Amino acid sequence: MKLKDSNKENAIIEQTLDIVYETGIAGVKMSKLAKRVGISPSTLYVYFETKEDLIVSVARRILKNIAAGLESVLAESTSFENKLRAKWIHMVQFTINHEKEINFMDQWKRSPYFDKNIFKEMKDGFKMKMMLFQEGRDSGYLKDLDDNIIHAIMAGIANQTVTLIKAGHLQMNQSTLDLTFSIIRDALKR
Amino acid sequence: MKLKDSNKENAIIEQTLDIVYETGIAGVKMSKLAKRVGISPSTLYVYFETKEDLIVSVARRILKNIAAGLESVLAESTSFENKLRAKWIHMVQFTINHEKEINFMDQWKRSPYFDKNIFKEMKDGFKMKMMLFQEGRDSGYLKDLDDNIIHAIMAGIANQTVTLIKAGHLQMNQSTLDLTFSIIRDALKR
Amino acid sequence: MKLKDSNKENAIIEQTLDIVYETGIAGVKMSKLAKRVGISPSTLYVYFETKEDLIVSVARRILKNIAAGLESVLAESTSFENKLRAKWIHMVQFTINHEKEINFMDQWKRSPYFDKNIFKEMKDGFKMKMMLFQEGRDSGYLKDLDDNIIHAIMAGIANQTVTLIKAGHLQMNQSTLDLTFSIIRDALKR
Amino acid sequence: MKLKDSNKENAIIEQTLDIVYETGIAGVKMSKLAKRVGISPSTLYVYFETKEDLIVSVARRILKNIAAGLESVLAESTSFENKLRAKWIHMVQFTINHEKEINFMDQWKRSPYFDKNIFKEMKDGFKMKMMLFQEGRDSGYLKDLDDNIIHAIMAGIANQTVTLIKAGHLQMNQSTLDLTFSIIRDALKR
DNA sequence: CATGAATGAGCGTTCATTCAT
DNA sequence: TATGAATGAACGCTCATTCAT
């Protein structure tokens, strides 16, 4: 008995990400996708019940990957500022390295396939990132700001930083990271 | 001889904005749009040659409105910090009051209907906003940062602020504006 | 009280002929036609009840013109062969000079607007041309062929001659007329 | 796995020919065609990419058939006149037996779907038919006329003959063939 | 008589999904 | 499991004609 080929499933998801990156979520056509994966359109339906199921599955997988990627890092740095700096660098690099995934989530949120319930799963996966901020407030380093606000400021500036890098107004190097982190620090430091 | 009803053109654009806000740019169907405006689908083609023409016309009109909205403001404030604060409040309020327009532009940029040439028309209208930053640098108030970076930081935080307000994590009041401006100021002040 | 402007009616018919010549009978669009004439689409309906009425009216007018054009000629030539030659030259020249009209009739016959009843009017207008052939048979010059056959042969060769001229394989000059007439004469002479 | 049914493709082409014969090329509507074939309109697009592709495919098939039909014939007749007579009979019969195809080609040439490049493919297939005329001129039987003119005369009269047959003015029998051939012979013989 | 706006009916085409093997 | 054919439902758009002035 042949089982579903998980390589094939991965290939489908990979191509979906690529197509969304190239042509937007509305550019995902089941037959075009099948052709790029090298299978028949009807075979897609062996792996995903509907197109919506496919899109949502891609979103769910990305959420898992993002959550996993955000956990690691920091830990052994000594000072809090070093930890915050490490987190900042990680955020910027992550935003750059996962262009396609971030782009997908961006588009998914505004698409007819968006499902709020699934989106909430992400929130939980993000809980732990906040513990760092609590430590910063407790040690008197950070302003007394809500976790959401602190994260929002960092995320907002990270997004814009990456936009400026992609537009050529900034370069992805140490000096840019230093510059932007100094802004973050000034913004958040008590 | 029946005259073209300019209210009808406005109504079409208004409904288009609403539909994009509700269902994304891919959710704009000429027949659905016509039904919401209360006209026949073919009448849409009296006012706009194609669907693309419609979308681009909406974008063009928004660009004009944004440019117009950015001109007024400030001027009479005394200190530079007051001018910057006024600009910040204006940015947040504008982002909130023009939700649909901003959402439309966001989606348009990633849609098949996007036309770079039209987008460039906007750039010129935005030149003047940068003069404020020059004044801030000259007076020694602002860090020596590129105009684009300063604007990106303010815009990034403004977007996130509005997101938090809409999510209920913040309220649109004076204390929120004071809080967020203090962050902006700390981030940008020399 | 203003009456229907017959210049306008002529202009409509003229433009219809031109459009059919340029783009075929399926290329006749009431609004495009109106624009070319310089009037409003609805004004067309002052002069012609429907599109079919327009097309049929053009056909009917052409039939009248053809019938009129075929009457004149000959008469004073002495020998029958000279009369036949005159008729032949007239046929070729007519075919060339009335390209648009002939093209229209050709297309009309195969179009959804064709009406056999109107077409029969032509037959009557063509009756007189046959008298010449009767004279030819009576005088022993022509083979004993049916009028329709004689006319068909001349018309068939005239059409092909014009086609060859337009394709550049022949030139419209005396020698071509002499050559082709000699073929006609040999084909029909007893 | 369902296999593509080549009878279905044939049926589509057959019905297209019929519809063009009945209502002209402008009368070919994809939905009407589908209904007559007994399939869904969208199934048409499994076999032909667009309406234009369908029309051009029909034309291309006809050109192949015509070229194939012109090759066989003659060869074994003894005298040149017998060969010419055989060719004439073949032309008339072919014109009658392929009414729909000839009508289609006639209309296609004036339609928006016409493609000169495809038409040129035919020209080559027609080269061989001319060799007969060269033989006729060499042997002193035919007048010294250009190949195109000879063929044009025969084709023009063949067309008109068939028109007269269809109109009931002639009957498709030996005596008609003899009569018309005698006209052809007199027209072309030196 | 003249007009520009308005429209219903219909067209060619696309595409997610199901069918039949 | 895997497939290519088949399709219904929709979409963007056109156009002859009518409406309202």
Side-chain angles (χ1 to χ4, degrees):
Chain A
M1 188 188 76
K2 225 169 159 191
L3 287 175
K4 282 189 198 176
D5 182 346
S6 95
N7 285 338
K8 210 169 272 183
E9 189 171 324
N10 286 334
I12 293 169
I13 289 180
E14 212 56 48
Q15 290 297 332
T16 304
L17 271 178
D18 285 354
I19 293 175
V20 170
Y21 190 69
E22 294 162 17
T23 63
I25 217 167
V28 178
K29 309 295 158 77
M30 296 303 264
S31 54
K32 190 172 80 178
L33 170 60
K35 196 167 283 171
R36 284 176 65 147
V37 175
I39 60 177
S40 164
S42 36
T43 306
L44 284 178
Y45 288 84
V46 173
Y47 294 85
F48 302 95
E49 288 189 5
T50 63
K51 183 176 176 180
E52 176 168 4
D53 181 30
L54 164 66
I55 299 292
V56 169
S57 297
V58 175
R60 189 175 271 124
R61 169 172 298 203
I62 291 175
L63 286 176
K64 270 186 201 149
N65 289 351
I66 288 182
L70 286 180
E71 283 187 49
S72 52
V73 209
L74 21 135
E76 66 289 327
S77 305
T78 49
S79 72
F80 175 79
E81 183 167 312
N82 279 346
K83 285 185 187 165
L84 190 66
R85 181 192 300 269
K87 179 168 180 56
W88 171 246
I89 291 173
H90 183 257
M91 274 182 87
V92 173
Q93 286 176 337
F94 187 90
T95 306
I96 281 195
N97 292 337
H98 294 73
E99 250 188 291
K100 288 179 186 171
E101 284 88 346
I102 290 170
N103 170 63
F104 181 95
M105 296 307 289
D106 243 42
Q107 296 211 28
W108 178 56
K109 272 188 252 175
R110 306 174 195 263
S111 83
Y113 305 107
F114 179 62
D115 179 336
K116 283 193 171 180
N117 297 326
I118 289 145
F119 198 63
K120 276 184 183 156
E121 296 177 14
M122 181 168 82
K123 289 285 163 80
D124 302 337
F126 280 4
K127 279 288 149 60
M128 70 199 60
K129 89 202 167 201
M130 306 302 196
M131 294 189 309
L132 177 67
F133 300 151
Q134 188 56 47
E135 179 189 338
R137 279 191 299 269
D138 289 347
S139 69
Y141 184 97
L142 288 180
K143 286 176 182 161
D144 188 27
L145 295 167
D146 184 87
D147 277 354
N148 287 312
I149 295 179
I150 299 177
H151 182 260
I153 287 165
M154 293 182 73
I157 297 183
N159 285 341
Q160 295 280 358
T161 299
V162 171
T163 301
L164 289 173
I165 288 172
K166 285 202 276 181
H169 290 118
L170 283 176
Q171 285 169 353
M172 180 55 190
N173 54 26
Q174 192 58 42
S175 112
T176 291
L177 287 172
D178 287 345
L179 174 69
T180 52
F181 177 66
S182 76
I183 293 170
I184 293 286
R185 188 191 51 207
D186 293 348
L188 299 178
K189 201 171 177 188
R190 183 189 293 264
Chain B
M1 185 184 87
K2 247 186 197 164
L3 285 177
K4 212 183 258 185
D5 182 351
S6 102
N7 288 335
K8 206 168 277 180
E9 189 170 326
N10 287 333
I12 294 170
I13 289 183
E14 213 56 49
Q15 290 297 331
T16 304
L17 273 177
D18 285 354
I19 293 175
V20 170
Y21 190 69
E22 294 162 18
T23 64
I25 219 166
V28 178
K29 317 288 172 171
M30 296 305 262
S31 55
K32 191 170 78 177
L33 171 58
K35 197 166 285 173
R36 284 174 65 145
V37 177
I39 58 177
S40 164
S42 45
T43 306
L44 286 177
Y45 291 86
V46 173
Y47 292 86
F48 301 96
E49 288 189 5
T50 63
K51 184 177 174 180
E52 174 168 6
D53 181 33
L54 165 66
I55 299 292
V56 169
S57 296
V58 174
R60 188 175 269 127
R61 170 174 296 204
I62 291 175
L63 287 175
K64 268 185 201 153
N65 289 351
I66 289 182
L70 285 180
E71 287 188 44
S72 49
V73 205
L74 23 132
E76 66 289 327
S77 305
T78 48
S79 73
F80 175 78
E81 183 168 313
N82 279 346
K83 283 186 188 165
L84 191 67
R85 180 192 301 268
K87 179 170 178 56
W88 170 247
I89 291 172
H90 182 257
M91 273 182 90
V92 174
Q93 285 175 339
F94 189 90
T95 307
I96 281 197
N97 293 335
H98 295 73
E99 248 187 293
K100 290 177 184 171
E101 283 88 346
I102 290 170
N103 169 64
F104 181 95
M105 295 308 288
D106 246 41
Q107 298 213 27
W108 178 55
K109 273 188 250 174
R110 302 174 193 266
S111 83
Y113 305 108
F114 181 63
D115 178 337
K116 281 193 171 180
N117 296 328
I118 290 154
F119 199 64
K120 274 182 183 158
E121 297 176 13
M122 183 171 74
K123 288 284 163 86
D124 301 335
F126 280 3
K127 281 285 151 57
M128 70 196 60
K129 86 193 169 209
M130 305 301 198
M131 294 190 308
L132 178 67
F133 300 151
Q134 187 56 46
E135 178 189 338
R137 281 190 299 268
D138 290 346
S139 69
Y141 184 98
L142 288 181
K143 287 175 182 162
D144 191 26
L145 295 168
D146 185 87
D147 278 351
N148 286 313
I149 296 178
I150 300 177
H151 183 260
I153 287 164
M154 291 182 74
I157 297 182
N159 286 340
Q160 295 280 358
T161 299
V162 169
T163 301
L164 290 174
I165 288 172
K166 285 201 280 177
H169 292 118
L170 283 176
Q171 284 167 357
M172 180 55 191
N173 55 26
Q174 192 58 39
S175 112
T176 291
L177 287 172
D178 286 344
L179 173 69
T180 52
F181 178 65
S182 74
I183 294 169
I184 293 287
R185 186 192 51 207
D186 292 346
L188 298 178
K189 199 171 178 188
R190 182 189 294 263
Chain C
M1 189 188 79
K2 230 169 158 190
L3 286 176
K4 281 189 198 176
D5 181 348
S6 95
N7 285 337
K8 211 169 272 183
E9 189 171 325
N10 286 334
I12 293 170
I13 289 180
E14 213 56 49
Q15 290 297 332
T16 303
L17 272 176
D18 285 355
I19 292 175
V20 170
Y21 190 69
E22 294 162 17
T23 62
I25 216 167
V28 178
K29 310 295 159 74
M30 296 302 264
S31 53
K32 189 171 81 176
L33 171 59
K35 196 167 284 175
R36 283 175 66 146
V37 175
I39 59 177
S40 165
S42 37
T43 306
L44 284 178
Y45 289 83
V46 173
Y47 293 87
F48 302 95
E49 288 188 5
T50 63
K51 184 177 176 180
E52 176 168 5
D53 181 31
L54 164 67
I55 299 292
V56 168
S57 297
V58 174
R60 188 174 272 127
R61 168 172 299 200
I62 291 175
L63 287 175
K64 269 185 201 152
N65 290 351
I66 289 183
L70 285 180
E71 284 186 50
S72 52
V73 207
L74 21 134
E76 68 287 329
S77 304
T78 48
S79 72
F80 175 78
E81 184 168 311
N82 279 346
K83 285 184 187 165
L84 191 65
R85 179 192 301 268
K87 178 168 181 57
W88 171 247
I89 292 173
H90 183 256
M91 275 181 88
V92 174
Q93 286 176 337
F94 188 90
T95 306
I96 281 195
N97 293 335
H98 294 72
E99 252 187 290
K100 289 178 185 171
E101 284 88 346
I102 290 170
N103 170 64
F104 181 95
M105 296 307 288
D106 245 40
Q107 298 212 26
W108 178 56
K109 273 189 251 175
R110 305 173 197 264
S111 82
Y113 305 107
F114 180 62
D115 179 338
K116 283 192 170 179
N117 295 327
I118 289 145
F119 198 62
K120 276 185 182 155
E121 295 177 13
M122 182 168 81
K123 289 283 162 84
D124 301 336
F126 279 4
K127 279 286 150 60
M128 68 198 63
K129 88 200 165 202
M130 305 302 196
M131 295 190 307
L132 176 69
F133 300 151
Q134 189 55 46
E135 178 188 338
R137 281 190 298 269
D138 290 347
S139 69
Y141 183 96
L142 288 180
K143 286 176 181 161
D144 190 25
L145 295 167
D146 184 88
D147 277 353
N148 286 313
I149 297 179
I150 300 178
H151 182 259
I153 288 165
M154 293 182 73
I157 298 183
N159 286 340
Q160 295 280 0
T161 300
V162 171
T163 300
L164 290 173
I165 288 172
K166 284 203 274 181
H169 291 118
L170 284 176
Q171 284 167 356
M172 180 56 189
N173 54 26
Q174 192 58 41
S175 111
T176 290
L177 287 173
D178 286 345
L179 173 70
T180 52
F181 179 66
S182 75
I183 293 170
I184 293 286
R185 187 191 52 208
D186 293 348
L188 298 178
K189 201 172 177 187
R190 182 188 294 266
Chain D
M1 185 185 87
K2 248 184 194 164
L3 285 177
K4 213 183 255 185
D5 182 351
S6 100
N7 288 337
K8 205 167 278 182
E9 188 170 328
N10 287 334
I12 293 170
I13 289 181
E14 213 55 51
Q15 290 297 332
T16 304
L17 274 176
D18 284 355
I19 293 175
V20 170
Y21 190 69
E22 294 162 19
T23 64
I25 219 167
V28 178
K29 318 287 172 172
M30 297 304 263
S31 55
K32 191 170 78 178
L33 171 59
K35 197 166 285 173
R36 285 175 64 147
V37 177
I39 59 178
S40 164
S42 46
T43 305
L44 287 176
Y45 291 85
V46 174
Y47 293 85
F48 302 96
E49 287 188 5
T50 61
K51 183 177 175 179
E52 174 167 7
D53 181 33
L54 165 66
I55 299 292
V56 169
S57 296
V58 174
R60 189 176 269 125
R61 169 173 296 206
I62 291 175
L63 286 175
K64 268 185 200 152
N65 289 351
I66 289 182
L70 284 181
E71 286 187 46
S72 51
V73 206
L74 21 133
E76 66 289 329
S77 306
T78 48
S79 74
F80 175 79
E81 184 169 311
N82 279 346
K83 284 186 188 164
L84 192 65
R85 181 192 301 269
K87 179 170 178 60
W88 171 246
I89 290 172
H90 182 257
M91 274 181 89
V92 174
Q93 284 176 339
F94 188 91
T95 307
I96 280 196
N97 293 335
H98 296 72
E99 246 188 294
K100 289 177 185 171
E101 283 89 345
I102 291 171
N103 170 64
F104 181 95
M105 296 307 288
D106 245 40
Q107 297 213 26
W108 179 55
K109 274 188 248 174
R110 301 174 193 266
S111 83
Y113 305 108
F114 180 63
D115 178 338
K116 280 193 171 180
N117 295 328
I118 291 153
F119 200 63
K120 273 182 185 158
E121 297 175 13
M122 183 170 75
K123 287 283 163 84
D124 301 335
F126 280 3
K127 282 284 152 60
M128 70 198 59
K129 87 192 172 212
M130 306 302 198
M131 295 188 309
L132 177 68
F133 300 151
Q134 187 56 47
E135 178 188 340
R137 279 190 299 267
D138 290 347
S139 68
Y141 183 98
L142 288 180
K143 288 176 181 161
D144 189 26
L145 294 168
D146 184 88
D147 278 351
N148 286 313
I149 296 178
I150 300 178
H151 182 260
I153 288 165
M154 292 182 73
I157 297 182
N159 285 341
Q160 295 281 357
T161 300
V162 171
T163 300
L164 289 173
I165 289 172
K166 286 201 280 177
H169 291 117
L170 283 175
Q171 285 166 356
M172 180 57 189
N173 54 26
Q174 192 58 40
S175 115
T176 291
L177 287 171
D178 287 346
L179 173 68
T180 52
F181 179 66
S182 75
I183 293 170
I184 293 287
R185 187 191 52 208
D186 293 348
L188 298 178
K189 201 173 177 187
R190 183 187 293 266

